[in-house]
Amino acid sequence: MDRIETGIDTTSLEYRENFTAMKEKVEDLKRELDRAINDRSPRARARLAEQNKLTVRQRLDLLLDKNTPFLEISPLAAKDMYDSKVYGAGIVTGIGVVEGREIIVHANDSMIKGGTIYPMGVKKGLRTQAIAMENRLPLIYLVDSGGAYLPLQSEIFPDADDGGRIFYNQAVISKMGIPQICGVLGLCTAGAAYIPAMSDEVVHVKGSGAIFLGGPPLVLAATGEEVTADELGGADVHCRLSGVSDYMAEDDAHCMEIIRQIVKTLPPGNKSLLPLREPAPPHYDPMEIYGIVPKSLSIPYDVREVIARIVDRSEFLEFKALYGQTLVCGWAYIHGYPVGILGNNGVLFSDSSLKATQFIQLCDRRGIPLIFLQNINGYIIGKEYERGGITKDGHKMVNAVSTCTVPKFTVMIGASFGAGNYGMCGRAYGPRFLWMWPNAQIGVMGGEQAANVMITVKNNQLIREGEEPLPDELVRQIKEPIIASAEREGNAYYSTSNLWDDGIIDPASTRDVLGLCISASVNAPIRSGPYGYGTFRM
Ligand code: COA
């Protein structure tokens, strides 16, 4: 494999301006992440101390092996929703290492409204379970939750992908043979009581942990019986009398220690074998990505410059380099793992779509994971291209992306518009993980384009009815809100708040994030099913 030769001049004004703009975006991201971790009310902190409980982050520090990475999933979920304080949707989720074993953890943050579950909390819980199932990762639940956030109960309870699906999934995960271990670290009320009940093993903290279907206030209201939380569902009740819990812990730290010991008893994971190479950092500094990515999405840049700062030794074997040049495809290694990379260098034409289809099939046949670097405005449009069959060639690519069986990973490094989002493995196409850079934008189309389409439709309607087209002032009035809403809702923060992705990442850490994702993914067989495709329209 040859090293990619960079064409970047790191002393140019353009590079320096880009660098400053991206650095500011990354600093904003770090501020948001810091707020999500630390902004808790003094009252909530005092309540936690009174209850002799640790914070969710302190629990994780004790649970996870020292000096190992923690790949947090969607820490900015529910950002700007509810009262803008339900950080991470009230849950911390991520992939970490316990006793040398990769696991995924799902932990309530009881400093946010008693750890109650908001609609986005359900969505995040389901995403956590999906990651566990796809990648065969043992799941550790640290429960400390008052159950459903009652003012929003209708958005949490009744539908197929609402709260009930969490417990349904627990049964399915159990049947798949994926271990589920639960720590009971606070009150587990109502729905939250089913999480320990549906787990394989339960560690119950004396004094602060309790499990019950109805808490003391509900029992009093319904039956007139007066009972304390501990009498109703404390550690003694469930470890000695009911058998709901399996181990009694003295406190939070002891609970984490017992969970670690349980993980040690699990049979070793069966990692899929890939033809690994000795890992090595890229030849070019990943920080240079800041200066490479233009300030505006409308300015094109060569995706090879990004690939050169993600892959081992910056080495890349480019596939069909001279054909379908608006898509760069090729072979490389990331942290020693072999990967096939597809990165956009413009809109997708018939030739680039066909190239993608062939390349995806090759990776699939060889059992090589796929990486999609999305910076795409869509497939080419117009008379010439329709006649050339862009729709059927785009279809081939979408077909191949949908049903290839190797793990797929997507990073949105710029635009993610239209069917380009689909062909380049957007969320609906089942990437194991999907990350956004802070500059990324997502939508059916850009705001200006969407507004122009709406004006054209309106004018055609008026002309059909024998009227004059819209005057300029009205055009402006119609366009402005469409552009504003597309910009707001196409923003990376809006996406991550809605859990359309697994998080916004610092572009300079892309290689490390992908390395962790690939490492997690090989806990499952490399192929999710037999190699094979549906009908390709010719
Ligand atoms: N829905 C909405 N908000 C809830 C809630 C629920 N189910 N349970 C608690 N809260 C809110 C409280 O109103 C309080 O809000 P505030 O900070 O704005 O005042 C916050 O969560 C913390 O509650 P608090 O009771 O002060 O904290 P705690 O640590 O002593 O107890 C709980 C936390 C969750 C154990 C306790 O509040 C409780 O038992 N709640 C009722 C649980 C229940 O019956 N759920 C049924 C769901 S189906």
Side-chain angles (χ1 to χ4, degrees), residues 41 43-44 47-48 50-51 53 83 110-118 144-153 186-192 212-218:
S41 72
R43 195 161 127 239
R47 183 78 188 114
L48 204 74
E50 250 170 55
Q51 295 167 322
K53 294 199 293 199
D83 64 354
S110 68
M111 283 198 289
I112 299 175
K113 291 279 182 199
T116 50
I117 309 297
Y118 284 69
D144 188 353
S145 163
Y149 180 74
L150 290 171
L152 296 178
Q153 56 166 302
L187 300 201
C188 304
T189 312
F212 28 64
L213 296 184
L218 185 62

Side-chain angles (χ1 to χ4, degrees), residues 272-277 336-338 366-369 518 521-522 526:
S272 297
L273 293 177
L274 284 173
L276 304 181
R277 236 174 71 163
Y337 294 106
R366 294 176 194 174
I368 304 291
I518 303 169
S521 76
V522 296
I526 205 73

